PDB file of all heavy atoms in Angstrom:
ATOM      1  N   ARG T   1     106.574  99.592 117.834  1.00  0.00           N
ATOM      2  CA  ARG T   1     105.543  98.987 116.994  1.00  0.00           C
ATOM      3  C   ARG T   1     105.071  99.980 115.922  1.00  0.00           C
ATOM      4  O   ARG T   1     104.872  99.592 114.749  1.00  0.00           O
ATOM      5  CB  ARG T   1     104.345  98.581 117.851  1.00  0.00           C
ATOM      6  CG  ARG T   1     104.587  97.377 118.762  1.00  0.00           C
ATOM      7  CD  ARG T   1     103.490  97.286 119.818  1.00  0.00           C
ATOM      8  NE  ARG T   1     103.564  96.055 120.588  1.00  0.00           N
ATOM      9  CZ  ARG T   1     102.866  94.946 120.319  1.00  0.00           C
ATOM     10  NH1 ARG T   1     102.046  94.931 119.276  1.00  0.00           N
ATOM     11  NH2 ARG T   1     102.981  93.880 121.070  1.00  0.00           N
ATOM     12  N   THR T   2     104.898 101.213 116.325  1.00  0.00           N
ATOM     13  CA  THR T   2     104.417 102.229 115.379  1.00  0.00           C
ATOM     14  C   THR T   2     105.418 102.441 114.253  1.00  0.00           C
ATOM     15  O   THR T   2     105.033 102.577 113.072  1.00  0.00           O
ATOM     16  CB  THR T   2     104.144 103.551 116.116  1.00  0.00           C
ATOM     17  OG1 THR T   2     103.122 103.336 117.100  1.00  0.00           O
ATOM     18  CG2 THR T   2     103.681 104.632 115.153  1.00  0.00           C
ATOM     19  N   LEU T   3     106.709 102.477 114.590  1.00  0.00           N
ATOM     20  CA  LEU T   3     107.734 102.623 113.551  1.00  0.00           C
ATOM     21  C   LEU T   3     107.726 101.423 112.619  1.00  0.00           C
ATOM     22  O   LEU T   3     107.771 101.574 111.389  1.00  0.00           O
ATOM     23  CB  LEU T   3     109.107 102.793 114.201  1.00  0.00           C
ATOM     24  CG  LEU T   3     110.289 102.910 113.224  1.00  0.00           C
ATOM     25  CD1 LEU T   3     110.119 104.128 112.307  1.00  0.00           C
ATOM     26  CD2 LEU T   3     111.603 102.987 113.994  1.00  0.00           C
ATOM     27  N   PHE T   4     107.669 100.221 113.186  1.00  0.00           N
ATOM     28  CA  PHE T   4     107.638  99.016 112.363  1.00  0.00           C
ATOM     29  C   PHE T   4     106.409  99.005 111.456  1.00  0.00           C
ATOM     30  O   PHE T   4     106.496  98.671 110.265  1.00  0.00           O
ATOM     31  CB  PHE T   4     107.652  97.779 113.262  1.00  0.00           C
ATOM     32  CG  PHE T   4     107.477  96.478 112.537  1.00  0.00           C
ATOM     33  CD1 PHE T   4     108.396  96.062 111.578  1.00  0.00           C
ATOM     34  CD2 PHE T   4     106.374  95.663 112.798  1.00  0.00           C
ATOM     35  CE1 PHE T   4     108.229  94.861 110.902  1.00  0.00           C
ATOM     36  CE2 PHE T   4     106.211  94.462 112.134  1.00  0.00           C
ATOM     37  CZ  PHE T   4     107.131  94.065 111.181  1.00  0.00           C
ATOM     38  N   GLU T   5     105.271  99.404 111.991  1.00  0.00           N
ATOM     39  CA  GLU T   5     104.045  99.459 111.186  1.00  0.00           C
ATOM     40  C   GLU T   5     104.198 100.423 110.015  1.00  0.00           C
ATOM     41  O   GLU T   5     103.764 100.134 108.887  1.00  0.00           O
ATOM     42  CB  GLU T   5     102.865  99.882 112.057  1.00  0.00           C
ATOM     43  CG  GLU T   5     101.538  99.939 111.300  1.00  0.00           C
ATOM     44  CD  GLU T   5     100.397 100.418 112.168  1.00  0.00           C
ATOM     45  OE1 GLU T   5     100.615 101.345 112.979  1.00  0.00           O
ATOM     46  OE2 GLU T   5      99.286  99.872 112.046  1.00  0.00           O
ATOM     47  N   SER T   6     104.842 101.567 110.249  1.00  0.00           N
ATOM     48  CA  SER T   6     105.026 102.544 109.167  1.00  0.00           C
ATOM     49  C   SER T   6     105.910 101.978 108.064  1.00  0.00           C
ATOM     50  O   SER T   6     105.653 102.207 106.873  1.00  0.00           O
ATOM     51  CB  SER T   6     105.618 103.845 109.720  1.00  0.00           C
ATOM     52  OG  SER T   6     106.981 103.672 110.097  1.00  0.00           O
ATOM     53  N   TRP T   7     106.932 101.227 108.442  1.00  0.00           N
ATOM     54  CA  TRP T   7     107.799 100.602 107.442  1.00  0.00           C
ATOM     55  C   TRP T   7     107.037  99.549 106.641  1.00  0.00           C
ATOM     56  O   TRP T   7     107.215  99.427 105.427  1.00  0.00           O
ATOM     57  CB  TRP T   7     109.001  99.949 108.122  1.00  0.00           C
ATOM     58  CG  TRP T   7     110.020 100.918 108.635  1.00  0.00           C
ATOM     59  CD1 TRP T   7     110.205 102.221 108.223  1.00  0.00           C
ATOM     60  CD2 TRP T   7     111.013 100.678 109.639  1.00  0.00           C
ATOM     61  NE1 TRP T   7     111.247 102.787 108.917  1.00  0.00           N
ATOM     62  CE2 TRP T   7     111.763 101.871 109.784  1.00  0.00           C
ATOM     63  CE3 TRP T   7     111.339  99.585 110.415  1.00  0.00           C
ATOM     64  CZ2 TRP T   7     112.822 101.976 110.685  1.00  0.00           C
ATOM     65  CZ3 TRP T   7     112.393  99.677 111.319  1.00  0.00           C
ATOM     66  CH2 TRP T   7     113.122 100.868 111.446  1.00  0.00           C
ATOM     67  N   CYS T   8     106.189  98.794 107.325  1.00  0.00           N
ATOM     68  CA  CYS T   8     105.400  97.768 106.637  1.00  0.00           C
ATOM     69  C   CYS T   8     104.435  98.392 105.635  1.00  0.00           C
ATOM     70  O   CYS T   8     104.284  97.909 104.505  1.00  0.00           O
ATOM     71  CB  CYS T   8     104.631  96.920 107.646  1.00  0.00           C
ATOM     72  SG  CYS T   8     105.682  95.845 108.663  1.00  0.00           S
ATOM     73  N   LYS T   9     103.794  99.460 106.042  1.00  0.00           N
ATOM     74  CA  LYS T   9     102.853 100.126 105.140  1.00  0.00           C
ATOM     75  C   LYS T   9     103.580 100.717 103.939  1.00  0.00           C
ATOM     76  O   LYS T   9     103.080 100.668 102.803  1.00  0.00           O
ATOM     77  CB  LYS T   9     102.070 101.203 105.896  1.00  0.00           C
ATOM     78  CG  LYS T   9     101.057 100.632 106.884  1.00  0.00           C
ATOM     79  CD  LYS T   9     100.255 101.715 107.577  1.00  0.00           C
ATOM     80  CE  LYS T   9      99.183 101.103 108.488  1.00  0.00           C
ATOM     81  NZ  LYS T   9      98.400 102.144 109.203  1.00  0.00           N
ATOM     82  N   SER T  10     104.768 101.257 104.160  1.00  0.00           N
ATOM     83  CA  SER T  10     105.558 101.806 103.055  1.00  0.00           C
ATOM     84  C   SER T  10     105.959 100.712 102.063  1.00  0.00           C
ATOM     85  O   SER T  10     106.152 100.987 100.876  1.00  0.00           O
ATOM     86  CB  SER T  10     106.814 102.501 103.587  1.00  0.00           C
ATOM     87  OG  SER T  10     106.479 103.621 104.374  1.00  0.00           O
ATOM     88  N   ALA T  11     106.068  99.469 102.566  1.00  0.00           N
ATOM     89  CA  ALA T  11     106.409  98.334 101.708  1.00  0.00           C
ATOM     90  C   ALA T  11     105.182  97.712 101.059  1.00  0.00           C
ATOM     91  O   ALA T  11     105.286  96.683 100.381  1.00  0.00           O
ATOM     92  CB  ALA T  11     107.165  97.278 102.515  1.00  0.00           C
ATOM     93  N   GLY T  12     104.010  98.322 101.284  1.00  0.00           N
ATOM     94  CA  GLY T  12     102.791  97.840 100.652  1.00  0.00           C
ATOM     95  C   GLY T  12     102.123  96.686 101.369  1.00  0.00           C
ATOM     96  O   GLY T  12     101.298  95.978 100.771  1.00  0.00           O
ATOM     97  N   LEU T  13     102.439  96.479 102.638  1.00  0.00           N
ATOM     98  CA  LEU T  13     101.883  95.352 103.379  1.00  0.00           C
ATOM     99  C   LEU T  13     100.605  95.752 104.114  1.00  0.00           C
ATOM    100  O   LEU T  13     100.457  96.903 104.549  1.00  0.00           O
ATOM    101  CB  LEU T  13     102.907  94.828 104.390  1.00  0.00           C
ATOM    102  CG  LEU T  13     104.289  94.465 103.840  1.00  0.00           C
ATOM    103  CD1 LEU T  13     105.153  93.879 104.942  1.00  0.00           C
ATOM    104  CD2 LEU T  13     104.170  93.495 102.685  1.00  0.00           C
ATOM    105  N   SER T  14      99.696  94.804 104.248  1.00  0.00           N
ATOM    106  CA  SER T  14      98.494  95.017 105.058  1.00  0.00           C
ATOM    107  C   SER T  14      98.759  94.473 106.451  1.00  0.00           C
ATOM    108  O   SER T  14      99.381  93.421 106.616  1.00  0.00           O
ATOM    109  CB  SER T  14      97.287  94.316 104.431  1.00  0.00           C
ATOM    110  OG  SER T  14      97.521  92.922 104.313  1.00  0.00           O
ATOM    111  N   MET T  15      98.290  95.198 107.471  1.00  0.00           N
ATOM    112  CA  MET T  15      98.622  94.846 108.844  1.00  0.00           C
ATOM    113  C   MET T  15      97.443  94.219 109.559  1.00  0.00           C
ATOM    114  O   MET T  15      96.340  94.777 109.582  1.00  0.00           O
ATOM    115  CB  MET T  15      99.082  96.092 109.621  1.00  0.00           C
ATOM    116  CG  MET T  15      99.511  95.825 111.053  1.00  0.00           C
ATOM    117  SD  MET T  15     100.985  94.750 111.173  1.00  0.00           S
ATOM    118  CE  MET T  15     102.247  95.870 110.534  1.00  0.00           C
ATOM    119  N   GLY T  16      97.660  93.036 110.150  1.00  0.00           N
ATOM    120  CA  GLY T  16      96.684  92.409 111.023  1.00  0.00           C
ATOM    121  C   GLY T  16      97.173  92.461 112.462  1.00  0.00           C
ATOM    122  O   GLY T  16      98.382  92.529 112.721  1.00  0.00           O
ATOM    123  N   LEU T  17      96.225  92.444 113.401  1.00  0.00           N
ATOM    124  CA  LEU T  17      96.560  92.541 114.826  1.00  0.00           C
ATOM    125  C   LEU T  17      95.621  91.634 115.607  1.00  0.00           C
ATOM    126  O   LEU T  17      94.395  91.764 115.495  1.00  0.00           O
ATOM    127  CB  LEU T  17      96.419  93.985 115.302  1.00  0.00           C
ATOM    128  CG  LEU T  17      96.872  94.313 116.723  1.00  0.00           C
ATOM    129  CD1 LEU T  17      98.389  94.215 116.842  1.00  0.00           C
ATOM    130  CD2 LEU T  17      96.410  95.718 117.125  1.00  0.00           C
ATOM    131  N   ASP T  18      96.179  90.703 116.373  1.00  0.00           N
ATOM    132  CA  ASP T  18      95.302  89.796 117.110  1.00  0.00           C
ATOM    133  C   ASP T  18      95.110  90.259 118.545  1.00  0.00           C
ATOM    134  O   ASP T  18      95.630  91.301 118.963  1.00  0.00           O
ATOM    135  CB  ASP T  18      95.787  88.345 117.002  1.00  0.00           C
ATOM    136  CG  ASP T  18      97.044  88.044 117.828  1.00  0.00           C
ATOM    137  OD1 ASP T  18      97.475  88.893 118.639  1.00  0.00           O
ATOM    138  OD2 ASP T  18      97.596  86.939 117.655  1.00  0.00           O
ATOM    139  N   GLN T  19      94.340  89.481 119.308  1.00  0.00           N
ATOM    140  CA  GLN T  19      93.974  89.885 120.668  1.00  0.00           C
ATOM    141  C   GLN T  19      95.148  89.860 121.642  1.00  0.00           C
ATOM    142  O   GLN T  19      95.041  90.377 122.747  1.00  0.00           O
ATOM    143  CB  GLN T  19      92.861  88.951 121.181  1.00  0.00           C
ATOM    144  CG  GLN T  19      91.555  89.101 120.430  1.00  0.00           C
ATOM    145  CD  GLN T  19      90.594  87.958 120.731  1.00  0.00           C
ATOM    146  OE1 GLN T  19      90.949  86.776 120.648  1.00  0.00           O
ATOM    147  NE2 GLN T  19      89.359  88.295 121.086  1.00  0.00           N
ATOM    148  N   MET T  20      96.268  89.281 121.236  1.00  0.00           N
ATOM    149  CA  MET T  20      97.486  89.323 122.046  1.00  0.00           C
ATOM    150  C   MET T  20      98.418  90.454 121.625  1.00  0.00           C
ATOM    151  O   MET T  20      99.516  90.587 122.154  1.00  0.00           O
ATOM    152  CB  MET T  20      98.228  87.988 121.960  1.00  0.00           C
ATOM    153  CG  MET T  20      97.622  86.891 122.817  1.00  0.00           C
ATOM    154  SD  MET T  20      97.763  87.213 124.588  1.00  0.00           S
ATOM    155  CE  MET T  20      99.525  87.043 124.836  1.00  0.00           C
ATOM    156  N   GLY T  21      97.996  91.242 120.648  1.00  0.00           N
ATOM    157  CA  GLY T  21      98.830  92.341 120.185  1.00  0.00           C
ATOM    158  C   GLY T  21      99.907  91.936 119.208  1.00  0.00           C
ATOM    159  O   GLY T  21     100.780  92.743 118.870  1.00  0.00           O
ATOM    160  N   THR T  22      99.870  90.702 118.722  1.00  0.00           N
ATOM    161  CA  THR T  22     100.855  90.263 117.740  1.00  0.00           C
ATOM    162  C   THR T  22     100.530  90.884 116.388  1.00  0.00           C
ATOM    163  O   THR T  22      99.371  90.911 115.961  1.00  0.00           O
ATOM    164  CB  THR T  22     100.883  88.728 117.631  1.00  0.00           C
ATOM    165  OG1 THR T  22     101.296  88.191 118.895  1.00  0.00           O
ATOM    166  CG2 THR T  22     101.840  88.263 116.558  1.00  0.00           C
ATOM    167  N   MET T  23     101.572  91.379 115.713  1.00  0.00           N
ATOM    168  CA  MET T  23     101.432  92.086 114.442  1.00  0.00           C
ATOM    169  C   MET T  23     101.748  91.141 113.281  1.00  0.00           C
ATOM    170  O   MET T  23     102.763  90.441 113.302  1.00  0.00           O
ATOM    171  CB  MET T  23     102.378  93.291 114.415  1.00  0.00           C
ATOM    172  CG  MET T  23     102.161  94.271 115.561  1.00  0.00           C
ATOM    173  SD  MET T  23     103.477  95.520 115.681  1.00  0.00           S
ATOM    174  CE  MET T  23     103.165  96.472 114.186  1.00  0.00           C
ATOM    175  N   PHE T  24     100.876  91.149 112.270  1.00  0.00           N
ATOM    176  CA  PHE T  24     101.034  90.293 111.095  1.00  0.00           C
ATOM    177  C   PHE T  24     100.984  91.166 109.838  1.00  0.00           C
ATOM    178  O   PHE T  24      99.917  91.663 109.465  1.00  0.00           O
ATOM    179  CB  PHE T  24      99.921  89.252 111.026  1.00  0.00           C
ATOM    180  CG  PHE T  24      99.851  88.334 112.221  1.00  0.00           C
ATOM    181  CD1 PHE T  24      98.990  88.614 113.275  1.00  0.00           C
ATOM    182  CD2 PHE T  24     100.632  87.195 112.293  1.00  0.00           C
ATOM    183  CE1 PHE T  24      98.902  87.768 114.371  1.00  0.00           C
ATOM    184  CE2 PHE T  24     100.560  86.345 113.387  1.00  0.00           C
ATOM    185  CZ  PHE T  24      99.692  86.624 114.428  1.00  0.00           C
ATOM    186  N   ALA T  25     102.131  91.361 109.192  1.00  0.00           N
ATOM    187  CA  ALA T  25     102.222  92.219 108.008  1.00  0.00           C
ATOM    188  C   ALA T  25     102.276  91.336 106.762  1.00  0.00           C
ATOM    189  O   ALA T  25     103.243  90.602 106.557  1.00  0.00           O
ATOM    190  CB  ALA T  25     103.449  93.114 108.094  1.00  0.00           C
ATOM    191  N   ARG T  26     101.262  91.430 105.907  1.00  0.00           N
ATOM    192  CA  ARG T  26     101.061  90.478 104.801  1.00  0.00           C
ATOM    193  C   ARG T  26     101.366  91.096 103.441  1.00  0.00           C
ATOM    194  O   ARG T  26     100.861  92.166 103.101  1.00  0.00           O
ATOM    195  CB  ARG T  26      99.623  89.971 104.829  1.00  0.00           C
ATOM    196  CG  ARG T  26      99.243  89.033 103.682  1.00  0.00           C
ATOM    197  CD  ARG T  26      97.827  88.540 103.843  1.00  0.00           C
ATOM    198  NE  ARG T  26      97.360  87.733 102.726  1.00  0.00           N
ATOM    199  CZ  ARG T  26      96.849  86.510 102.835  1.00  0.00           C
ATOM    200  NH1 ARG T  26      96.739  85.954 104.040  1.00  0.00           N
ATOM    201  NH2 ARG T  26      96.428  85.856 101.775  1.00  0.00           N
ATOM    202  N   ARG T  27     102.186  90.374 102.688  1.00  0.00           N
ATOM    203  CA  ARG T  27     102.377  90.658 101.266  1.00  0.00           C
ATOM    204  C   ARG T  27     101.586  89.612 100.491  1.00  0.00           C
ATOM    205  O   ARG T  27     101.825  88.419 100.612  1.00  0.00           O
ATOM    206  CB  ARG T  27     103.860  90.579 100.881  1.00  0.00           C
ATOM    207  CG  ARG T  27     104.141  90.972  99.416  1.00  0.00           C
ATOM    208  CD  ARG T  27     105.621  90.782  99.119  1.00  0.00           C
ATOM    209  NE  ARG T  27     106.053  91.489  97.916  1.00  0.00           N
ATOM    210  CZ  ARG T  27     106.332  90.895  96.750  1.00  0.00           C
ATOM    211  NH1 ARG T  27     106.177  89.575  96.617  1.00  0.00           N
ATOM    212  NH2 ARG T  27     106.753  91.613  95.726  1.00  0.00           N
ATOM    213  N   GLU T  28     100.668  90.060  99.683  1.00  0.00           N
ATOM    214  CA  GLU T  28      99.758  89.140  99.017  1.00  0.00           C
ATOM    215  C   GLU T  28     100.486  88.286  97.990  1.00  0.00           C
ATOM    216  O   GLU T  28     101.446  88.730  97.356  1.00  0.00           O
ATOM    217  CB  GLU T  28      98.612  89.906  98.338  1.00  0.00           C
ATOM    218  CG  GLU T  28      97.412  89.039  98.018  1.00  0.00           C
ATOM    219  CD  GLU T  28      96.895  88.336  99.259  1.00  0.00           C
ATOM    220  OE1 GLU T  28      96.100  88.947 100.002  1.00  0.00           O
ATOM    221  OE2 GLU T  28      97.301  87.167  99.490  1.00  0.00           O
ATOM    222  N   GLY T  29     100.050  87.033  97.856  1.00  0.00           N
ATOM    223  CA  GLY T  29     100.549  86.155  96.816  1.00  0.00           C
ATOM    224  C   GLY T  29      99.650  86.214  95.594  1.00  0.00           C
ATOM    225  O   GLY T  29      98.554  86.789  95.637  1.00  0.00           O
ATOM    226  N   THR T  30     100.103  85.617  94.528  1.00  0.00           N
ATOM    227  CA  THR T  30      99.258  85.586  93.322  1.00  0.00           C
ATOM    228  C   THR T  30      98.061  84.674  93.517  1.00  0.00           C
ATOM    229  O   THR T  30      97.065  84.791  92.799  1.00  0.00           O
ATOM    230  CB  THR T  30     100.070  85.126  92.099  1.00  0.00           C
ATOM    231  OG1 THR T  30     100.612  83.816  92.359  1.00  0.00           O
ATOM    232  CG2 THR T  30     101.198  86.105  91.807  1.00  0.00           C
ATOM    233  N   ASP T  31      98.138  83.763  94.488  1.00  0.00           N
ATOM    234  CA  ASP T  31      96.994  82.927  94.857  1.00  0.00           C
ATOM    235  C   ASP T  31      96.694  83.142  96.337  1.00  0.00           C
ATOM    236  O   ASP T  31      97.216  82.435  97.200  1.00  0.00           O
ATOM    237  CB  ASP T  31      97.293  81.449  94.587  1.00  0.00           C
ATOM    238  CG  ASP T  31      96.071  80.565  94.784  1.00  0.00           C
ATOM    239  OD1 ASP T  31      95.071  81.044  95.360  1.00  0.00           O
ATOM    240  OD2 ASP T  31      96.116  79.388  94.359  1.00  0.00           O
ATOM    241  N   PRO T  32      95.854  84.131  96.647  1.00  0.00           N
ATOM    242  CA  PRO T  32      95.585  84.474  98.046  1.00  0.00           C
ATOM    243  C   PRO T  32      94.916  83.360  98.842  1.00  0.00           C
ATOM    244  O   PRO T  32      94.883  83.418 100.081  1.00  0.00           O
ATOM    245  CB  PRO T  32      94.655  85.688  97.942  1.00  0.00           C
ATOM    246  CG  PRO T  32      94.864  86.227  96.561  1.00  0.00           C
ATOM    247  CD  PRO T  32      95.169  85.036  95.719  1.00  0.00           C
ATOM    248  N   SER T  33      94.396  82.332  98.154  1.00  0.00           N
ATOM    249  CA  SER T  33      93.737  81.240  98.861  1.00  0.00           C
ATOM    250  C   SER T  33      94.733  80.290  99.524  1.00  0.00           C
ATOM    251  O   SER T  33      94.353  79.497 100.393  1.00  0.00           O
ATOM    252  CB  SER T  33      92.851  80.450  97.897  1.00  0.00           C
ATOM    253  OG  SER T  33      93.637  79.734  96.952  1.00  0.00           O
ATOM    254  N   LEU T  34      95.998  80.354  99.128  1.00  0.00           N
ATOM    255  CA  LEU T  34      97.013  79.459  99.686  1.00  0.00           C
ATOM    256  C   LEU T  34      97.436  79.926 101.080  1.00  0.00           C
ATOM    257  O   LEU T  34      97.472  81.120 101.376  1.00  0.00           O
ATOM    258  CB  LEU T  34      98.237  79.409  98.776  1.00  0.00           C
ATOM    259  CG  LEU T  34      98.032  78.800  97.386  1.00  0.00           C
ATOM    260  CD1 LEU T  34      99.325  78.900  96.584  1.00  0.00           C
ATOM    261  CD2 LEU T  34      97.583  77.343  97.499  1.00  0.00           C
ATOM    262  N   ASP T  35      97.777  78.963 101.939  1.00  0.00           N
ATOM    263  CA  ASP T  35      98.281  79.315 103.272  1.00  0.00           C
ATOM    264  C   ASP T  35      99.606  80.053 103.133  1.00  0.00           C
ATOM    265  O   ASP T  35     100.476  79.648 102.357  1.00  0.00           O
ATOM    266  CB  ASP T  35      98.488  78.061 104.108  1.00  0.00           C
ATOM    267  CG  ASP T  35      97.174  77.368 104.461  1.00  0.00           C
ATOM    268  OD1 ASP T  35      96.111  77.991 104.289  1.00  0.00           O
ATOM    269  OD2 ASP T  35      97.229  76.199 104.905  1.00  0.00           O
ATOM    270  N   PRO T  36      99.795  81.127 103.891  1.00  0.00           N
ATOM    271  CA  PRO T  36     101.008  81.938 103.757  1.00  0.00           C
ATOM    272  C   PRO T  36     102.246  81.287 104.381  1.00  0.00           C
ATOM    273  O   PRO T  36     102.160  80.401 105.239  1.00  0.00           O
ATOM    274  CB  PRO T  36     100.658  83.229 104.510  1.00  0.00           C
ATOM    275  CG  PRO T  36      99.174  83.216 104.683  1.00  0.00           C
ATOM    276  CD  PRO T  36      98.795  81.774 104.764  1.00  0.00           C
ATOM    277  N   VAL T  37     103.392  81.782 103.951  1.00  0.00           N
ATOM    278  CA  VAL T  37     104.667  81.507 104.613  1.00  0.00           C
ATOM    279  C   VAL T  37     104.904  82.637 105.615  1.00  0.00           C
ATOM    280  O   VAL T  37     104.836  83.818 105.248  1.00  0.00           O
ATOM    281  CB  VAL T  37     105.822  81.442 103.595  1.00  0.00           C
ATOM    282  CG1 VAL T  37     107.159  81.266 104.309  1.00  0.00           C
ATOM    283  CG2 VAL T  37     105.580  80.317 102.600  1.00  0.00           C
ATOM    284  N   TYR T  38     105.161  82.277 106.855  1.00  0.00           N
ATOM    285  CA  TYR T  38     105.373  83.264 107.911  1.00  0.00           C
ATOM    286  C   TYR T  38     106.860  83.361 108.236  1.00  0.00           C
ATOM    287  O   TYR T  38     107.580  82.366 108.246  1.00  0.00           O
ATOM    288  CB  TYR T  38     104.594  82.878 109.174  1.00  0.00           C
ATOM    289  CG  TYR T  38     103.112  83.158 109.086  1.00  0.00           C
ATOM    290  CD1 TYR T  38     102.295  82.417 108.233  1.00  0.00           C
ATOM    291  CD2 TYR T  38     102.522  84.165 109.836  1.00  0.00           C
ATOM    292  CE1 TYR T  38     100.931  82.672 108.134  1.00  0.00           C
ATOM    293  CE2 TYR T  38     101.161  84.430 109.748  1.00  0.00           C
ATOM    294  CZ  TYR T  38     100.375  83.678 108.898  1.00  0.00           C
ATOM    295  OH  TYR T  38      99.026  83.944 108.798  1.00  0.00           O
ATOM    296  N   VAL T  39     107.294  84.586 108.543  1.00  0.00           N
ATOM    297  CA  VAL T  39     108.688  84.817 108.919  1.00  0.00           C
ATOM    298  C   VAL T  39     108.692  85.934 109.958  1.00  0.00           C
ATOM    299  O   VAL T  39     108.013  86.948 109.800  1.00  0.00           O
ATOM    300  CB  VAL T  39     109.551  85.182 107.690  1.00  0.00           C
ATOM    301  CG1 VAL T  39     108.990  86.370 106.938  1.00  0.00           C
ATOM    302  CG2 VAL T  39     110.990  85.462 108.095  1.00  0.00           C
TER     303      VAL T  39
END
C-alpha cells in the first residue's frame, strides 16, 4: 500500500482512505462537482 501510495502522489493524485482501508487516488476533473469515473 505504501509503495502504491507513493506512486499515486508522484502522479499528482490526492489519496482518500475509508474505514475499511480502501484507497481512493483521485485525479481532479475540470468540473470537480461531477461524479467521478472509478477504475
Side-chain angles (χ1 to χ4, degrees):
R1 289 165 172 265
T2 299
L3 178 60
F4 174 62
E5 181 183 39
S6 71
W7 287 339
C8 291
K9 289 183 176 179
S10 296
L13 307 184
S14 59
M15 183 64 70
L17 187 69
D18 73 10
Q19 293 167 310
M20 282 293 291
T22 297
M23 303 170 68
F24 301 95
R26 176 177 175 126
R27 184 183 197 254
E28 199 55 85
T30 59
D31 187 347
S33 69
L34 295 177
D35 292 346
V37 176
Y38 284 69
V39 55

